[in-house]
Amino acid sequence: MVLFSIPFNEITESFGAAVSCLSTSHLTDEVIRRSKRMILDTLGVGLLGTSTPVFNTVLQCSQQALENSKVWGRPGLSLPPQYAAFVNGVAVHSMDFDDTWHPATHPSGAVLPAVLALAETLPVKPSGLELLLAFNVGIEVQGRLLRFSKEAHNIPKRFHPPAVVGVMGSAAATAKLLGLPAAQSIAALAIACSSAGAPMANAATQTKPLHMGNAARGGLEATRLALLSLEGNTQILDLESGFGAFYPDYVPHPLAEVTPTSHYRWVLEDQNIAQKRFPAHLGMHWVADAAIEARAKFLDKCPNADLSQIKKITLRVPTSRYVDCPLPVSEHQARHSFQFNCCTALLDGEVTIETFSKSHMNRSALKEMLLKVQLENPQDNHSSFEKMYCEIAVETTQGEMFTARCNTFYGHWRKPLSHEDLVRKFRANASTVLSAEVVEGIIYTVDHLDTNQDCSMLWSYMHFNKHMMHRDECRSSQCNASLLNRSTFE
Amino acid sequence: INVCTQRSTRYVSAISAARGLHKSALDVAERPAPEETVTSSFGRFIQSVQPRHLSPTVLQRSKRMVLDSIGVGLLGSTTDVFELALQHCQHMYAPDDVSFVYGRQGMKLSPTLAAFVNGVAAHSMDFDDTWHPATHPSGAVLPALLAISDMLHNNSKPSGLDFLTAFNVGIEIQGRLMRFSNEAQNIPKRFHPPSVVGTLGSAAACARLLSLDRSQCSNALAIAASLAGAPMANAATQSKPLHIGNASRLGLEAALLASRGLEASPLVLDAVPGVAGFSAFYEDYAPHPISSLEEDEHSFLIETQDIAFKRFPAHLGMHWIADATAVVHKTLVGLKGGSISPNLVQDILLRVPLSKYINRPFPETEHQARHSFQFNACTALLDGEVTVQSFQPEALLRPELHALLSRVRLEHPHDNTANFNIMYGEVEVTLVSGDVLRGRCDTFYGHWRNPLSQESLQKKFRSNAGAVLSNERVERLIEAVEGLDHLDDCKPVLAQLQ
């Protein structure tokens, strides 16, 4: 007889157990409140994103006839759930307008599209609370995984975090929604891990949004494969050759045990999220707020001043190669350019969705000002969304100097958007695509998500588009040209 | 800007456009030559390499690879993991279900899903080819190319030579990429190479077959980079075959996305400090551009570095130890006659390179068994060989095998490097009687230094393909692949697989 011992999978097993044991009773008020804000914001940016070229590209690529999950902003169009999750995930990240967390990642875009797409296909629809639970499991797993590496606490250099932890979050959330037992949850995580990882170099390109789409899709696919009994490495989170492959310093810890009556300490409870005020990389928000302040001081002193009197602009920012772009050419580059966002804020007093349109980008006044910007990387300015700051010094031809500093921009987790401003952002985004009635309907539904037994109207609402007829109605008239609705930013 | 409405049938008409040589030549002339980066050199290479660049050696070797890959794919279509992946894809459903599925006559899936399941089939038993530096190149490339070929209109199927060119582009790109890192020379520890280079190889091959322009080729590689990379931990599990399936599928997707105009980083293969591109997957990364085809004669890597074909479905490292142990088995049979009884054996010492994921004293599943020095040694000692049947449940559970397994020790000599080009396998069996029998293998039969003869390769193919196809089809396939470079179109190959 042969005896052999099976090694004890501490960490991975604890994840599987947590994913399957967490229940609605563990959701606290604060967690519910914060996650509803995240959901609202994500839906808004997703709807806005359905009018981008990249979204249309991936949609065409994914179109298939057997459809059970709705595509946002495309009435009558549905796709198999993975592809719906994919395209909707791309929409969410298409303009870099979605939420950001610490350690750095964009957590909601990887989870929400997958959870909604999957929920739609279930014969018995989940309640709002069950939906919230699955969503939070997906966020939580991401937060926990990020804390296994010190490197993860800094602005990333190697792998784009949504592609690393996002796919794991999507797998966890969808496994939770299906009520998978712990062993299958582990399999979903392991399978998802083989789809993780995309290099940073594709940030600031048109492909970046696909990182989010693929994270959502990959996690959902992993769960479906796990449901069909596919297995991976049961110690995937314990091993350096497993999830540890994505970090040079990987030190995992098991999750705390979850019992039906225990209190669970969610990461979201202790670490809030940042929601953006304009569609650009998070680092740009410090720059914009500092520049707006400097501009105010300038105009205060010289009310009729001409901004071309500015001779030199010095920006003190953390070192981060992929957002140092002196002369951006594409909108994607512009969203990842300290210099561009600084100059726009100085010129216009704000950075908005329109800022990244071709006409706004091509303004000669803007282009001239870009040439005057100099970046400095002070030692004490850490490349971390928790610690960074932005200092701006504007020198005029008159020899005057206006400085300002932003430590915490409005919208950062230390200074979160007010409920009114969050809803205002949602309305502005959603109403580019939805009628006022539907916009209010979504606001109401998300606000009451935890008390709603039937949340299926949520994805029904997402399926409207005030500029388009339902696809079936479309066949009789020639209206394909309206598929690309860029009137808001061209 | 209506970027998208123009692209509805772009990739189908791209082939016919290429046939109209004047137009495509004009396209190239109108676009200014991009500043030469490593990434753009790759894009340029993929777009400009022609069939005439293929030497006879390259043709011969790549046809062998195609044959072997189809065979292992057909055999692999009988596995559980394949069935699982297939069900998964059928549930996902595909309206443009035009591409064949290995071993499922009449069944069709969309091109990307067909590439996925057929790729899974190819790697499902770890029976597919291995190269140096280490990866399994063909399984990532061939399924995607076959899927595209099925997708193209009957009148615009690629010629055999076009097909072979695209195939070799896919292999070549993989070889080039691996040479950018010293780490890649050794048995991998972090990322499973097919999921890293295989994805880009598939993207390159598909871009070539679809006749994309050079900037689209570069973008295809860059998009694929964001779809690459799976950790080693899933090797020796049921998920490993998906690494190849996904490499094939995602490379194809990347090429299709690029053909629709999706753009990604133009520097993805270059080493840019502070922003990782493809370099994200390696600790040490030093890329070089592929030289222009106008200036130099291009030499395909497969010309100077041949490939290994496996004789039995297990990790390459097992082949050294199996051959070494087979020698001992033969001696033992000569000494004692008849079949081997574990009672004769006191101790089995294996001298092998250090590699955690193939050191498994008591494998529990077939996947683990394929990645176990100990298992393969004991099987070879008992049976004189390792075969497809060695990994079936009955064989895994044999009591005499378990008895031998408990007597195995491993040693990792300093001079036995974990590298498929220089490793060796040594076995020392101490009998109860006190006799010590030794066997050593430096180069197993099937390794690139001692390649399978054409007869042996065809024998392997017949055995594999014959598990699911009629003899007639098997022979026709052998013939069609053998004459691939002379076929006007590749229909003769596709027809036998439908």
Side-chain angles (χ1 to χ4, degrees):
Chain A
M1 194 176 103
V2 171
L3 292 167
F4 37 85
S5 59
I6 301 159
F8 180 58
N9 319 330
E10 247 202 325
I11 291 143
T12 310
E13 198 175 316
S14 75
F15 271 67
V19 168
S20 68
C21 296
L22 281 169
S23 77
T24 53
S25 63
H26 294 107
L27 292 172
T28 65
D29 287 346
E30 187 59 23
V31 167
I32 290 176
R33 189 187 72 89
R34 287 182 182 181
S35 48
K36 284 192 292 189
R37 285 160 58 90
M38 290 157 73
I39 289 172
L40 188 70
D41 186 68
T42 302
L43 290 175
V45 302
L47 284 166
L48 183 65
T50 61
S51 42
T52 59
V54 62
F55 172 76
N56 278 286
T57 298
V58 298
L59 180 59
Q60 278 187 47
C61 211
S62 306
Q63 243 159 309
Q64 292 176 330
L66 183 55
E67 0 39 70
N68 358 42
S69 302
K70 297 181 175 46
V71 175
W72 296 349
R74 291 286 185 277
L77 193 56
S78 294
L79 291 173
Q82 286 99 310
Y83 287 126
F86 174 56
V87 302
N88 292 338
V90 168
V92 170
H93 200 43
S94 58
M95 300 163 102
D96 227 309
F97 212 176
D98 46 331
D99 54 24
T100 312
W101 213 11
H102 178 70
T105 196
H106 307 289
S108 301
V111 173
L112 188 63
V115 164
L116 289 182
L118 181 60
E120 253 189 279
T121 67
L122 300 177
V124 178
K125 307 286 182 255
S127 69
L129 206 50
E130 285 168 334
L131 205 66
L132 271 171
L133 177 63
F135 178 80
N136 277 290
V137 167
I139 303 298
E140 177 73 3
V141 165
Q142 295 185 62
R144 294 284 171 179
L145 290 174
L146 285 165
R147 279 156 177 72
F148 291 168
S149 154
K150 289 208 166 65
E151 183 188 290
H153 285 65
N154 301 324
I155 296 176
K157 285 199 230 176
R158 210 155 110 250
F159 289 108
H160 190 210
V164 180
V165 296
V167 68
M168 308 298 279
S170 168
T174 48
K176 185 68 199 157
L177 196 66
L178 291 179
L180 294 190
Q184 278 187 317
S185 296
I186 290 175
L189 290 172
I191 298 163
C193 196
S194 278
S195 294
M200 280 308 292
N202 277 332
T205 78
Q206 201 189 25
T207 292
K208 189 188 189 194
L210 270 72
H211 292 182
M212 194 61 79
N214 280 322
R217 149 160 74 158
L220 174 46
E221 211 176 79
T223 290
R224 287 175 73 119
L225 287 165
L227 194 55
L228 290 172
S229 306
L230 185 71
E231 291 167 348
N233 191 315
T234 54
Q235 297 188 71
I236 194 73
L237 300 180
D238 297 74
L239 300 169
E240 228 174 72
S241 62
F243 190 68
F246 297 101
Y247 299 101
D249 63 338
Y250 183 67
V251 182
H253 301 285
L255 292 180
E257 205 192 316
V258 178
T259 70
T261 51
S262 67
H263 173 77
Y264 187 78
R265 187 105 198 151
W266 300 81
V267 173
L268 189 59
E269 189 99 43
D270 296 328
Q271 171 65 61
N272 202 355
I273 212 142
Q275 274 135 346
K276 294 174 175 173
R277 283 182 357 253
F278 55 84
H281 181 274
L282 203 75
M284 311 302 110
H285 284 66
W286 277 270
V287 170
D289 278 15
I292 290 167
E293 199 188 315
R295 177 182 190 271
K297 289 183 182 175
F298 180 29
L299 291 177
D300 212 39
K301 184 107 190 278
C302 335
N304 295 316
D306 179 4
L307 289 164
S308 62
Q309 284 171 28
I310 292 175
K311 187 171 83 171
K312 181 176 176 201
I313 305 161
T314 309
L315 279 182
R316 293 188 193 99
V317 288
T319 309
S320 185
R321 216 18 205 79
Y322 77 105
V323 286
D324 171 1
C325 188
L327 299 165
V329 169
S330 70
E331 74 180 81
H332 305 283
Q333 289 177 336
R335 301 185 199 280
H336 296 76
S337 164
F338 282 133
Q339 296 91 331
F340 178 86
N341 287 269
C342 164
C343 293
T344 299
L346 281 174
L347 259 183
D348 306 335
E350 58 175 1
V351 182
T352 65
I353 294 171
E354 284 71 41
T355 300
F356 303 94
S357 67
K358 276 215 155 39
S359 52
H360 272 67
M361 281 181 65
N362 283 335
R363 291 178 292 170
S364 49
L366 181 68
K367 288 185 167 173
E368 275 162 30
M369 197 175 284
L370 280 172
L371 299 168
K372 302 175 187 172
V373 180
Q374 188 124 21
L375 288 199
E376 277 174 18
N377 306 121
Q379 283 263 27
D380 72 341
N381 203 345
H382 299 283
S383 295
S384 145
F385 292 141
E386 176 61 37
K387 303 188 194 163
M388 68 173 276
Y389 65 85
C390 172
E391 222 170 63
I392 185 173
V394 178
E395 232 179 279
T396 67
T397 45
Q398 255 66 354
E400 294 188 281
M401 182 86 102
F402 298 95
T403 62
R405 175 169 170 139
C406 174
N407 288 323
T408 304
F409 67 86
Y410 177 48
H412 191 268
W413 45 83
R414 289 192 298 261
K415 201 196 280 184
L417 294 185
S418 66
H419 182 74
E420 294 71 36
D421 286 337
L422 187 71
V423 172
R424 184 174 304 137
K425 176 187 173 186
F426 177 80
R427 279 203 186 94
N429 288 344
S431 50
T432 60
V433 170
L434 301 176
S435 69
E437 274 171 353
V438 178
V439 170
E440 295 310 313
I442 298 178
I443 294 173
Y444 182 86
T445 307
V446 173
D447 208 37
H448 292 83
L449 206 45
D450 44 331
T451 51
N452 211 329
Q453 275 303 96
D454 173 18
C455 51
S456 55
M457 63 200 71
L458 190 58
W459 46 84
S460 299
Y461 282 141
M462 294 296 286
H463 204 51
F464 284 93
N465 190 319
K466 65 185 182 187
H467 301 289
M468 278 178 220
M469 291 190 267
H470 194 277
R471 190 175 71 153
D472 295 331
E473 294 165 353
C474 227
R475 290 215 180 95
S476 47
S477 53
Q478 306 290 312
C479 63
N480 288 319
S482 69
L483 275 173
L484 257 187
N485 180 21
R486 302 206 75 216
S487 53
T488 28
F489 13 84
E490 287 256 282
Chain B
I1 304 166
N2 268 340
V3 169
C4 301
T5 47
Q6 312 155 355
R7 313 243 176 203
S8 46
T9 49
R10 166 129 328 184
Y11 51 76
V12 174
S13 60
I15 296 286
S16 10
R19 308 249 159 180
L21 292 168
H22 310 294
K23 187 175 188 304
S24 62
L26 210 63
D27 279 346
V28 170
E30 278 168 356
R31 216 158 297 161
E35 199 185 271
E36 192 76 327
T37 58
V38 172
T39 307
S40 65
S41 80
F42 273 62
R44 189 210 353 95
F45 167 76
I46 295 168
Q47 182 262 331
S48 58
V49 73
Q50 294 299 314
R52 65 175 176 78
H53 293 109
L54 299 169
S55 71
T57 307
V58 170
L59 281 173
Q60 191 240 3
R61 287 181 182 181
S62 49
K63 284 189 293 184
R64 284 159 58 90
M65 289 157 74
V66 169
L67 187 72
D68 189 69
S69 195
I70 291 176
V72 300
L74 287 168
L75 180 69
S77 73
T78 61
T79 60
D80 283 341
V81 62
F82 172 78
E83 188 61 48
L84 191 154
L86 180 60
Q87 273 183 48
H88 164 72
C89 290
Q90 280 185 293
H91 288 154
M92 281 169 61
Y93 190 90
D96 51 334
D97 44 357
V98 293
S99 302
F100 77 89
V101 173
Y102 279 145
R104 293 289 188 278
Q105 194 172 359
M107 180 182 290
K108 304 277 185 172
L109 289 176
S110 71
T112 51
L113 295 182
F116 176 55
V117 301
N118 290 338
V120 168
H123 200 44
S124 57
M125 300 165 101
D126 226 309
F127 212 176
D128 44 333
D129 53 25
T130 312
W131 211 13
H132 178 70
T135 195
H136 307 289
S138 301
V141 171
L142 188 63
L145 292 180
L146 290 171
I148 293 178
S149 301
D150 248 348
M151 174 181 95
L152 297 172
H153 197 268
N154 244 345
N155 298 340
S156 41
K157 301 266 189 234
S159 70
L161 216 44
D162 282 336
F163 190 92
L164 274 170
T165 304
F167 179 81
N168 277 289
V169 166
I171 303 299
E172 178 73 0
I173 292 301
Q174 295 185 61
R176 293 278 171 162
L177 291 172
M178 285 189 293
R179 278 156 178 73
F180 292 169
S181 157
N182 286 328
E183 183 189 303
Q185 307 276 321
N186 302 324
I187 295 177
K189 284 197 231 180
R190 214 158 106 247
F191 289 108
H192 190 212
S195 70
V196 179
V197 297
T199 314
L200 274 74
S202 168
C206 294
R208 183 76 193 89
L209 197 63
L210 295 170
S211 300
L212 302 189
D213 68 44
R214 53 187 64 177
S215 130
Q216 287 173 321
C217 290
S218 294
N219 277 317
L221 290 174
I223 297 164
S226 277
L227 296 164
M232 281 306 294
N234 277 331
T237 77
Q238 204 188 22
S239 283
K240 189 189 189 194
L242 271 71
H243 292 183
I244 289 271
N246 277 325
S248 208
R249 142 160 81 156
L250 298 173
L252 172 51
E253 270 190 38
L256 291 175
L257 284 165
S259 80
R260 290 184 189 279
L262 185 67
E263 292 169 347
S265 168
L267 294 173
V268 76
L269 299 181
D270 295 76
V272 178
V275 185
F278 189 68
S279 59
F281 300 105
Y282 299 101
E283 303 284 309
D284 65 328
Y285 186 73
H288 305 284
I290 299 182
S291 42
S292 161
L293 287 167
E294 283 102 52
E295 291 149 22
D296 308 309
E297 266 310 301
H298 181 81
S299 175
F300 281 84
L301 290 168
I302 194 76
E303 183 101 41
T304 45
Q305 170 64 63
D306 200 358
I307 208 142
F309 294 115
K310 295 174 174 175
R311 284 182 1 254
F312 54 86
H315 181 276
L316 202 75
M318 310 302 111
H319 284 65
W320 277 270
I321 216 66
D323 276 18
T325 314
V327 170
V328 173
H329 166 90
K330 208 161 162 202
T331 314
L332 201 50
V333 166
L335 273 180
K336 308 284 177 178
S339 58
I340 312 293
S341 163
N343 299 328
L344 298 169
V345 175
Q346 179 170 302
D347 179 78
I348 304 168
L349 175 63
L350 303 179
R351 293 199 184 91
V352 288
L354 184 63
S355 181
K356 265 177 54 181
Y357 82 108
I358 41 184
N359 171 358
R360 294 171 196 272
F362 299 105
E364 293 172 344
T365 66
E366 73 178 85
H367 304 285
Q368 291 178 355
R370 302 186 199 280
H371 297 75
S372 163
F373 280 129
Q374 295 90 332
F375 179 88
N376 285 270
C378 294
T379 299
L381 190 59
L382 273 177
D383 307 333
E385 57 175 357
V386 183
T387 65
V388 172
Q389 284 70 33
S390 305
F391 301 93
Q392 261 142 37
E394 318 81 59
L396 284 180
L397 296 170
R398 286 185 291 173
E400 55 272 32
L401 183 70
H402 276 257
L404 284 180
L405 279 174
S406 54
R407 291 164 210 177
V408 180
R409 294 181 294 132
L410 293 198
E411 257 178 29
H412 306 297
H414 283 301
D415 72 340
N416 203 349
T417 324
N419 172 312
F420 291 141
N421 208 25
I422 54 184
M423 68 173 272
Y424 63 85
E426 225 171 61
V427 62
E428 223 171 73
V429 177
T430 309
L431 301 178
V432 169
S433 61
D435 292 319
V436 177
L437 305 173
R438 283 189 192 88
R440 175 167 170 138
C441 173
D442 288 292
T443 303
F444 67 85
Y445 179 46
H447 190 267
W448 42 84
R449 286 191 302 261
N450 187 9
L452 292 189
S453 66
Q454 198 63 6
E455 292 70 39
S456 296
L457 189 69
Q458 287 181 352
K459 184 166 163 223
K460 176 186 174 185
F461 181 80
R462 281 193 184 94
S463 167
N464 288 343
V468 293
L469 293 180
S470 70
N471 288 345
E472 219 188 316
R473 288 198 170 211
V474 171
E475 293 311 314
R476 287 213 196 113
L477 262 177
I478 291 178
E479 207 183 303
V481 174
E482 184 62 33
L484 195 49
D485 42 334
H486 302 294
L487 292 178
D488 280 335
D489 68 51
C490 52
K491 279 192 277 211
V493 174
L494 294 169
Q496 308 311 323
L497 295 165
Q498 301 294 310

